Amino acid sequence: MTITPTDILDTLSELVVVTDTQQRCLYVNEAWCRLFGGTQTDWQGKALEMFAQRPPARLNAVSGDIATPGRFENMFSVNERVYWLEWQQTDSVTGHRTFIGRDITDRKAEEITLRATARNAETGNDTKMRFLATMSHEMRTPLNGILGMTGLMMDTGLDANQKAYAEAIRESGSALLALINDILDYSKIDAGRIDLEESVVDPLSLAQSVAELLSPRAAHKDLEIATYVDPSVPLRLMADEARLRQVLLNLAGNGVKFTETGGVTIEIRAEHHDEPGVENIRIDVHDTGVGIPQEDLTNIFEEFAQADSSHARKFEGTGLGLAIARRIVQAMGGTMSVKSKLNVGSVFSFTVPLKAKTDHHSTRYDCQIQDPVLLVTSSTILKRIVRLQLESAGVRQFHVTEDAEDAHAFLSRHRNAILLCDLPFAAQHGKKLSMAASHSLVLLSPVARGRLETFRRIGFDGYLIKPMRQSSLFRRLSDRDIPQQKTERLDSPATAPAFSPQKYRVLLAEDNQINAVLATAIIKRAGHHVDVAGNGSEALYAVQSAPYDVVLMDMHMPEMDGLEAARKIRELAGSERHVPIIALTANAMSSDRDNCLAVGMNDFLTKPFEPQELIGLIEKWGRASESLTAGADAGHQASA
C-alpha cells in the first residue's frame, strides 16, 4: 500500500491549505473539511477570501527558494459558533502558498476572560479608591475642627485638669488621623498606586529630623533616641524623602511605642552596589523593647498583624504600619527584615538602592580631636551611639563609664580630657567631675532645658540637647570657644514660624463654618487680615472687588467648587489673576494635588493642619505675591 503526502496531511489535527498564485484552493486536508464542511474535491478551485489579502512572507536568505513562515490570526463564524485560528504561512518562489492552522479558540476565550477580569479589578480599585478618598475627606473635615479648636483652647487660661482633658482630646484626634492616613496609604499601595518622587536627600538631616520629631514622646517615657550616620554614606542621595521619612517614622515610632526602658537608635550605612553611581543604603532601627516571639517574625509584615495579643491590647494599633513600610521599601527596589528577642529588643532593617548625588563619601566628620574624651552615662544607647560617632570623627582616645569614681580617676590622669556627662550623673557628681575636666558638656533631654543655668553654675561650660546632632557634637568637641547659641529643634516651640512684621490680606474660601472659624482665628492671631467667602462664586467676586495677597481655597464648596473658582481667577484680565492660591482641603490624594496645580493653584495644604504650617504658607506666598504680580504684569506689557 502506497502512502502519499496527502494521506499524511489528512491525519493531522491542524488545518492544511495549499493555494495557487491566484489564491485559489489546490488542496485542503480532512481537518479543514471537518470544520468548514464539504469534501476535498468541493473546495478545489475555490477562491479563499481569508487568505486573499495576505502579503508575501519574507524570502529565506539561506536557501533563496522558500520564504520563511509568517504567523497571523483570524476569526470567523461557522454554524453560529465563533472560531479563532492561528496560521503559519509559507510561500514558494513559484507563488504557491501553504497555510497550516490550529484552533486557538479556547486560548482566546481565556485571554478575553483575563482582560475582563483585569478591567473589573481596575474598576473595583477605582471604586474603592473613590470611596476611600471621599470617606477620608469627610472624616478629615470634622477632625480639622476637633484638633484645631482643641489647640486654640489649650492656648487659653486652662487649669491643670482642663489642660489634661484637652490634651487627651488632641491625642485621640491625632491617633484617629494617623489611622485614616494608614488606611488611605495602604489602599493606594494595595491598588499599585504608590507615588515615588525623586529629589536630593541629606541622609544625616533625615535621620536627625526623625529622631527630633520622636524626641518628646521618648523623653516622656524617659527613653533615649539617637542617630548615627556612617562616613561611608554619601552627603547627598536621590530618593523620595517623604516616603523614606514615613518608613523611618513608622519603625522608630514603633520602637518608642514598644519600649519601656532603654531607647531607640537609627543607624545608616552604605553598602556596595554593582551599578556605578548607586549605593545600597542600609538603615537599622534598634530598640530595647518587648521584642517579638520567634513564631510571629514570619508574619510581622502582614496586613493587620500584631506580634502578640497581649502586646496588642497594651500598645494598641492596626498592624498596618509595617505592611505599608515594607510595601514602600519594595516599591523603591529594596528589602526589609527583622531580628528580635523577647524582652531584649528588635532590629528592623531595610536596604534600598539609591543614586549618590556626590561622587565621594563624606569626610565632614573628621574633626581631628587630639584630646581624650570621657563619656559618663549608664545608657546603653548613648554608649553605643557616642562611641560610633567619636570613632567616625577620628577621636583617638575616649573612655566610657557609668561609675563616677572611675570617671574622676580618668580625669585625674588626663587633665586635658573633655567631659560628656549625662544628666543623672551631672545632677549628682557634676561639680566634682566638671572641675576635673578641661572642657565639660552636660547632655540634657528636651524637657530639662530649664536646668541649664544650674549646671553652668556648678562648672559646666557647655551643653548638648539629646538626641545629639553629630555636627553639634563635633563642633563642641573641636572648638571649646564656640558660643552656646540658642538651639532650635523640631521638637521645640522655637520652631514655630516666626511671624513676619509684614501683615497680609487673606481671602479664605471655606463653606464649613467650624473650619472657617478655626482658620480665621489662626490667621488673625498671626496678625493678618482675613475675609471669608462661603463658596467659589463668592471667592471669585471677592478677588475682583479687593486686592488680596493670598487666597486659601477649599476644593469642595456649593455653587462653584474651588477648582472652578481657581480656574476662573486665572482667566481674569487684571493683575488679580496672579494672586497666589493655596488649596486648603481635606482631600489627601496625590491626584487631588495634581488637579489643584493643573488649574493654576500655587500650593496645597491638607486638613487637618498645624497652625504653623498654615501661617508659614501664608507668609511664604504673601512675600511672593508682589513679585509674582509685578513680574507677570511686566511680561504682559513686554509681549504687548
Side-chain angles (χ1 to χ4, degrees), residues 388-532:
L388 288 171
Q389 291 176 343
L390 293 177
E391 287 176 347
S392 70
V395 176
R396 294 177 175 82
Q397 186 177 5
F398 57 87
H399 182 60
V400 180
T401 184
E402 56 183 281
D403 183 274
E405 292 302 320
D406 179 41
H408 192 267
F410 181 87
L411 292 172
S412 299
R413 295 192 304 270
H414 303 87
R415 293 294 181 180
N416 60 332
I418 303 171
L419 171 64
L420 298 174
C421 193
D422 203 6
L423 175 60
F425 288 90
Q428 190 171 357
H429 307 286
K431 186 173 183 179
K432 181 179 178 180
L433 293 177
S434 62
M435 289 180 64
S438 65
H439 180 42
S440 55
L441 300 169
V442 60
L443 310 182
L444 299 176
S445 67
V447 296
R449 292 170 182 270
R451 301 177 64 180
L452 177 59
E453 278 306 313
T454 300
F455 291 113
R456 278 181 171 158
R457 285 196 297 269
I458 65 175
F460 284 93
D461 41 45
Y463 69 94
L464 285 163
I465 300 296
K466 298 182 292 184
M468 293 182 295
R469 298 178 178 179
Q470 287 177 234
S471 56
S472 298
L473 172 62
F474 301 151
R475 284 200 305 270
R476 296 288 185 263
L477 295 177
S478 300
D479 189 350
R480 303 184 184 199
D481 298 324
I482 189 169
Q484 290 287 302
Q485 297 174 344
K486 183 179 179 181
T487 306
E488 291 186 2
R489 299 291 293 271
L490 295 178
D491 54 13
S492 166
T495 55
F499 295 153
S500 168
Q502 179 67 42
K503 305 308 177 187
Y504 299 110
R505 187 178 178 91
V506 179
L507 174 65
L508 171 65
E510 171 64 73
D511 65 308
N512 183 282
Q513 185 175 1
I514 294 177
N515 285 332
V517 171
L518 170 63
T520 299
I522 293 172
I523 296 167
K524 285 185 175 180
R525 191 171 62 175
H528 305 298
H529 175 83
V530 59
D531 293 327
V532 179

Side-chain angles (χ1 to χ4, degrees), residues 91-270:
D91 296 358
S92 71
V93 293
T94 61
H96 293 78
R97 293 181 173 179
T98 300
F99 300 91
I100 300 176
R102 63 189 183 94
D103 188 351
I104 58 169
T105 305
D106 291 341
R107 190 186 79 189
K108 280 292 183 181
E110 290 177 3
E111 290 177 1
I112 292 171
T113 300
L114 287 174
R115 283 196 295 268
T117 301
R119 282 195 301 270
N120 290 337
E122 182 66 23
T123 301
N125 281 336
D126 288 342
T127 302
K128 180 173 70 174
M129 292 309 299
R130 283 196 299 271
F131 171 76
L132 285 169
T134 301
M135 291 306 298
S136 171
H137 175 274
E138 294 304 316
M139 287 186 285
R140 283 172 184 275
T141 297
L143 260 179
N144 185 56
I146 293 170
L147 292 173
M149 289 298 187
T150 304
L152 291 178
M153 182 172 65
M154 291 182 69
D155 288 340
T156 63
L158 303 179
D159 62 32
N161 283 335
Q162 291 170 332
K163 184 164 282 191
Y165 298 153
E167 183 62 37
I169 295 172
R170 189 167 67 176
E171 287 185 2
S172 298
S174 297
L176 180 55
L177 177 61
L179 175 60
I180 293 170
N181 288 337
D182 275 353
I183 293 173
L184 193 60
D185 243 350
Y186 175 76
S187 300
K188 287 191 289 185
I189 293 170
D190 192 50
R193 298 183 181 181
I194 182 170
D195 302 311
L196 293 177
E197 299 178 357
E198 198 173 68
S199 61
V200 178
V201 178
D202 179 347
L204 182 61
S205 295
L206 174 64
Q208 290 172 340
S209 67
V210 169
E212 289 170 6
L213 283 170
L214 295 173
S215 177
R217 199 187 312 172
H220 180 72
K221 299 178 70 175
D222 199 24
L223 301 175
E224 299 286 354
I225 184 166
T227 64
Y228 169 69
V229 179
D230 193 79
S232 65
V233 179
L235 291 166
R236 300 289 184 269
L237 297 165
M238 298 301 297
D240 189 321
E241 184 170 7
R243 290 295 186 181
L244 276 179
R245 180 178 283 104
Q246 181 180 357
V247 174
L248 268 180
L249 278 171
N250 180 271
L251 299 182
N254 278 348
V256 173
K257 178 179 179 181
F258 291 99
T259 299
E260 296 299 306
T261 60
V264 177
T265 67
I266 300 170
E267 302 176 23
I268 305 180
R269 294 174 176 82

Side-chain angles (χ1 to χ4, degrees), residues 300-454:
I300 193 66
F301 295 110
E302 298 301 320
E303 296 83 353
F304 309 106
Q306 286 281 4
D308 178 81
S309 59
S310 62
H311 294 162
R313 284 194 299 271
K314 181 176 181 181
F315 296 105
E316 300 182 347
T318 62
L320 277 177
L322 287 177
I324 293 170
R326 185 179 65 167
R327 294 284 192 95
I328 292 172
V329 169
Q330 289 174 339
M332 292 180 171
T335 57
M336 180 175 286
S337 61
V338 60
K339 295 180 181 178
S340 185
K341 285 187 178 181
L342 275 179
N343 303 317
V344 174
S346 306
V347 182
F348 284 85
S349 305
F350 67 96
T351 303
V352 287
L354 300 177
K355 295 177 184 176
K357 187 67 174 175
T358 48
D359 295 331
H360 59 278
H361 294 304
S362 171
T363 57
R364 62 181 165 189
Y365 307 146
D366 187 6
C367 48
Q368 298 299 323
I369 299 170
Q370 303 299 326
D371 297 330
V373 177
L374 170 66
L375 172 65
V376 185
T377 182
S378 60
S379 166
T380 56
I381 298 296
L382 281 182
K383 288 177 181 178
R384 172 182 173 79
I385 292 301
V386 174
R387 181 180 293 275
L388 288 171
Q389 291 176 343
L390 293 177
E391 287 176 347
S392 70
V395 176
R396 294 177 175 82
Q397 186 177 5
F398 57 87
H399 182 60
V400 180
T401 184
E402 56 183 281
D403 183 274
E405 292 302 320
D406 179 41
H408 192 267
F410 181 87
L411 292 172
S412 299
R413 295 192 304 270
H414 303 87
R415 293 294 181 180
N416 60 332
I418 303 171
L419 171 64
L420 298 174
C421 193
D422 203 6
L423 175 60
F425 288 90
Q428 190 171 357
H429 307 286
K431 186 173 183 179
K432 181 179 178 180
L433 293 177
S434 62
M435 289 180 64
S438 65
H439 180 42
S440 55
L441 300 169
V442 60
L443 310 182
L444 299 176
S445 67
V447 296
R449 292 170 182 270
R451 301 177 64 180
L452 177 59
E453 278 306 313
T454 300

